Structure formats: structure tokens, C-alpha cells
């Protein structure tokens, strides 16, 4: 038959969706290591510490107690209750158990949120540089990501910038604080500004608070807790970063109706929920005392100060990031292309970083270092850089 397209093709909506560059860099590092080459690994996105034993034991106990059957697809009650309590105490969000949905990590919470709210042709305002998968997740929901340069916006006023990039099709704002990759933390005044804009324009806010416990300067403000925001905000959290649980794949979303019902459907028909033993482990993780979380943050702060000082001494100009665990220095004195810089650093110094451009055009001219490694590893990495750049 002529003119008929072959059946061997993927759905149209996936054609525009990219595959993460970060995975390709990770593969290159694995290749170098397999060839016996040492690599100073600053490219990761994981906490430096292991999952606490208490959390592991809770999973083992769930297994030996035969808690291995289907759980409710939206999450077991003890976990949703623990999350609702945490939201009230830490985030000042008035969320009940019915407003909480357990997801396969923060990524799945975001996926469910985008799928629930967005229609084909919608625009989503996205502060850039941004966490790479966000652009693709929005595209996969058949909406259009519209970049709002964060630095310029903060300098000139967020409202002015959000107004500038809004179109009649604007439906939502993706609001990430603390930010990956820049480590920027939006202030309370900025959160209030974004909230005011969202209410005035009748927009939905996707709040991504993956790094809520890693704020070194200023405070973490959950935008959903501001007046008038809970009905129009979907907040996505993860246990990955706070509790060293990246591989467990557990997070949660907080939303009001009608979004919660929509998101429950997305979870039911995508994963049918998080594995039951993992959810019991998550209950234990949420019982971690706040002083243990604070002590971890101080360990991160030490690493941040060490790396940022070293980078600046090397002439790689770097602001002190207020949150998360990334430094995002300017590297244009090596090359204008961040891909080229990351390549040079990896090949000549065996220092693995992520080129800033993969986080959006506004990230060009920078590379991302994660300082979530041992202080000695930071020292060794800086020494390797000094030999090449110094
Ligand atoms: C900004 C941001 N949001 C969400 C996530 C999701 O994390 P996970 O899917 O591991 O819970 C990450 C992970 O790197 C992130 O950097």
C-alpha cells in the first residue's frame, strides 16, 4: 500500500521528547572507570551518605512480616498520615491525608502533576536554568515550556519577567526552590510575588521542593502555604535527597481537588503505587528527628564552602549557592561552550561535571559540580583542576 506510514514507529507525542544528556555523561564516566582511570566525580545528583540503617531495617521487617501484597495505589495510611503531619509541622501546609499521594520518587509526582493539569497547547513558565527532565516532562504532556531566565528575573523583578513571558496560553508556573542546578533559593518575598501573579492570572503552580531540607542561607518557603495558594498549587516532594533514598523511588505529591483525583488516576494506571516494603521504610524515614536532618545539612554546608572557595581561587567565578548541593561556576574563561569545558575537565583533569547548557540556554557558560562527595574527594578534585588550570 502506498502512502501508509509504517507501524514500526513511536507515538507522535514522544517524538519531541529528549533523552537525558546527564545519562550520557554518567556512561562516559563508567567507561573511564572500567578502563581503570580514576575519576573525580562531581557530576552526580545523590546525597553522599547511605540510607540510614533504621530505614533499611524497617524495609526488612516489612518483608519478614509479609507486608508484600498490593497496597492502596495512593499509599498506605500510616505513610500518608506521617506525611500530613510533616506538612503541617515543617511546611505550614494545612493538608489532610486525602490531599497526599505517594509516588515513585519526586519525578513521578511531577509527571502525574503535569499529566493531570496540562492540555495540548498550554504554556508553562519555567525558571531557567532548570532540572533537565522538567522540559521533557512538560513536552510529553503536549504542553510548551517557556523559559524565564532566573537571574534576570530576580534582578529586574519576578512579576515583570513573568508578565513578559506570559501568553494567552499560559496555564502554569513550575517553581523549584532550592533550585537544581544553580542552588538558588527564592525568598519569602519572591514566593509571595509568584503567588500573587498566579492568583491574578489564574495560573496553577507546580512546586518542586526536592531540596527543602538543604537551605544554608535564608528560609525554605512552601508556596502552597501562602494565602490563596493551596487550591492552585501541586507540591512535589521526594525522600531521595533528605534521607539518602534515591534508589528506593519514593516521594509524594500534595494537592486539592480536582487535581488529586486526576493524579490518583495517573498513578493507578502508570505504576499502581509504590512497592509496599518501600512505603514502610518511608514511614521510618519520616520519623527521623529534625536535629539529625539539621546535622546533615551542616555536613553539606562544609562541603559547599570548601568547593566554592577552591573554584573561586582557580578563577572559576562561583556564587555561594544558598541551597541544594550544587555549585554552578562561570567557566567562560576556559571556553564559551559548556560542553567543551566539561569535556576538557573530564579528559585533562578526570573531573566529571555536567555542562550547564543541558539545564537550558540560560545555563550556558557554566558547569554544574555536585559537592555531595567526601571533603577529601573535593580536595583531590580541586588539586586535579589546579594542575590543569592553575
Ligand atoms: C529539582 C529536582 N526535582 C525533583 C527531583 C526528583 O528526584 P527523585 O525522582 O529521585 O525523587 C530531582 C532529582 O534530582 C531534582 O533535582
Amino acid at each position: 500500500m502506498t502512502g501508509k506510514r509504517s507501524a514500526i514507529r513511536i507515538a507522535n507525542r514522544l517524538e519531541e521528547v529528549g533523552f537525558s544528556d546527564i545519562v550520557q555523561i554518567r556512561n562516559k564516566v563508567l567507561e573511564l572507570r572500567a578502563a581503570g582511570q580514576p575519576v573525580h566525580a562531581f557530576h552526580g545528583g545523590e546525597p553522599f551518605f547511605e540510607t540510614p540503617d533504621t530505614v533499611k531495617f524497617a524495609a526488612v521487617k516489612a518483608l519478614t512480616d509479609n507486608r508484600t501484597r498490593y497496597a492502596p495505589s495512593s499509599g498506605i495510611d500510616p505513610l500518608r498520615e506521617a506525611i500530613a503531619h510533616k506538612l503541617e509541622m515543617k511546611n505550614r501546609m494545612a493538608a489532610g491525608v486525602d490531599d497526599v499521594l505517594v509516588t515513585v520518587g519526586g519525578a513521578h509526582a511531577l509527571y502525574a502533576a503535569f499529566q493531570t493539569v496540562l492540555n495540548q497547547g498550554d504554556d508553562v513558565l519555567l525558571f531557567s536554568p532548570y532540572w533537565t527532565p522538567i522540559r521533557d516532562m512538560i513536552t510529553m504532556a503536549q504542553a510548551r515550556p517557556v523559559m524565564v531566565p532566573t537571574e534576570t528575573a530576580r534582578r529586574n523583578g519576578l512579576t515583570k519577567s513573568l508578565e513578559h513571558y506570559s501568553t494567552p496560553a499560559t496555564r502554569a508556573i513550575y517553581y523549584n526552590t532550592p533550585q537544581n542546578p544553580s542552588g538558588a533559593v527564592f525568598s519569602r518575598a519572591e514566593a509571595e510575588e509568584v503567588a500573587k501573579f498566579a492568583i491574578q492570572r489564574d495560573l496553577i503552580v507546580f512546586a518542586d521542593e526536592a531540596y527543602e531540607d538543604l537551605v544554608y542561607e535564608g528560609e525554605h518557603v512552601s508556596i502552597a502555604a501562602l494565602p490563596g495558594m493551596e487550591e492552585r498549587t501541586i507540591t512535589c516532594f521526594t525522600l531521595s535527597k533528605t534521607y539518602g533514598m534515591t534508589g528506593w523511588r519514593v516521594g509524594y505529591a500534595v494537592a486539592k481537588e480536582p487535581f488529586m483525583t486526576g493524579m490518583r488516576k495517573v498513578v493507578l494506571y502508570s505504576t499502581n503505587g509504590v512497592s509496599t516494603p518501600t512505603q514502610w521504610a518511608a514511614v521510618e524515614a519520616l520519623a527521623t528527628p529534625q536535629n539529625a536532618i539539621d546535622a546533615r545539612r551542616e555536613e553539606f554546608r562544609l562541603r559547599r564552602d570548601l568547593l566554592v572557595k577552591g573554584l573561586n581561587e582557580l578563577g572559576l567565578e562561583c556564587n555561594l549557592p544558598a541551597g541544594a548541593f550544587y555549585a554552578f561556576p562561570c567557566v567562560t574563561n576556559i571556553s564559551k561552550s559548556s560542553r567543551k569545558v566539561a569535556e576538557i575537565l573530564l579528559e585533562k583533569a578526570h573531573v566529571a561535571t555536567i555542562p550547564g547548557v543541558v539545564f537550558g540556554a540560560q545555563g550556558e557558560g557554566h558547569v554544574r559540580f555536585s559537592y555531595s562527595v567526601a571533603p577529601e574527594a573535593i580536595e583531590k578534585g580541586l588539586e586535579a583542576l589546579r594542575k590543569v588550570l592553575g
Side-chain angles (χ1 to χ4, degrees), residues 277-294:
T278 295
Q279 293 200 52
W280 286 103
V283 172
E284 181 62 33
L286 280 162
T288 306
Q290 186 57 41
N291 61 6
I293 295 173
D294 292 344

Side-chain angles (χ1 to χ4, degrees), residues 45 105-107 110 131 174 176 180 208 210-211 238 240-241 246 249 326:
L110 289 159
W131 183 47
Y174 167 78
N176 171 219
N180 179 3
D208 182 347
Y211 299 93
T238 176
S240 291
K241 317 288 176 175
T246 45
R249 312 308 304 133
Y326 307 107

Side-chain angles (χ1 to χ4, degrees), residues 179-320:
Q179 282 185 2
N180 179 3
S182 67
V185 173
F186 283 124
S187 67
R188 180 172 290 277
E190 288 173 318
E192 285 169 353
E193 219 179 317
V194 173
K196 190 170 165 205
F197 185 81
I199 292 169
Q200 272 173 358
R201 300 278 177 128
D202 194 19
L203 303 177
I204 301 306
V205 172
F206 300 112
D208 182 347
E209 305 188 11
Y211 299 93
E212 63 171 333
D213 289 306
L214 293 173
V215 175
Y216 314 102
E217 260 83 45
E219 58 172 332
H220 177 70
V221 178
S222 291
I223 195 166
L226 299 180
M229 286 305 288
E230 66 177 8
E231 69 197 52
R232 62 179 66 251
T233 306
I234 300 178
T235 313
C236 300
F237 294 96
T238 176
L239 275 71
S240 291
K241 317 288 176 175
T242 300
Y243 305 105
M245 292 180 71
T246 45
W248 293 73
R249 312 308 304 133
V250 58
Y252 50 99
V254 188
K256 296 286 181 191
E257 293 298 354
F259 300 126
M260 183 45 80
T261 296
M263 292 176 73
R264 283 190 208 291
K265 290 181 195 174
V266 176
V267 166
L268 178 60
Y269 299 125
S270 55
T271 60
N272 197 3
V274 172
S275 91
T276 309
T278 295
Q279 293 200 52
W280 286 103
V283 172
E284 181 62 33
L286 280 162
T288 306
Q290 186 57 41
N291 61 6
I293 295 173
D294 292 344
R296 278 283 190 239
R297 188 188 56 237
E298 294 313 304
E299 290 187 65
F300 274 110
R301 184 197 299 274
L302 196 122
R303 289 158 167 79
R304 174 193 71 155
D305 293 351
L306 187 63
L307 177 68
V308 171
K309 181 167 173 280
L311 292 175
N312 279 305
E313 281 168 4
L314 280 165
L316 301 180
E317 196 187 311
C318 186
N319 294 332
L320 198 60

Side-chain angles (χ1 to χ4, degrees), residues 324-387:
F325 48 63
Y326 307 107
F328 204 54
C330 174
V331 290
T332 48
N333 53 359
I334 302 175
S335 164
K336 280 207 164 27
S337 155
S338 58
R339 282 188 198 279
K340 185 96 201 128
V341 175
E343 218 176 280
I344 293 171
L345 298 185
L346 188 57
E347 266 159 31
K348 299 213 167 134
H350 288 183
V351 165
T353 60
I354 308 283
V357 71
V358 312
F359 305 102
Q362 287 74 18
E364 185 54 300
H366 298 254
V367 297
R368 190 191 77 177
F369 283 75
S370 161
Y371 51 82
S372 184
V373 294
E376 307 75 60
I378 295 177
E379 303 270 21
K380 280 189 187 152
L382 287 170
E383 189 50 44
L385 286 174
R386 231 167 265 136
K387 282 191 187 136

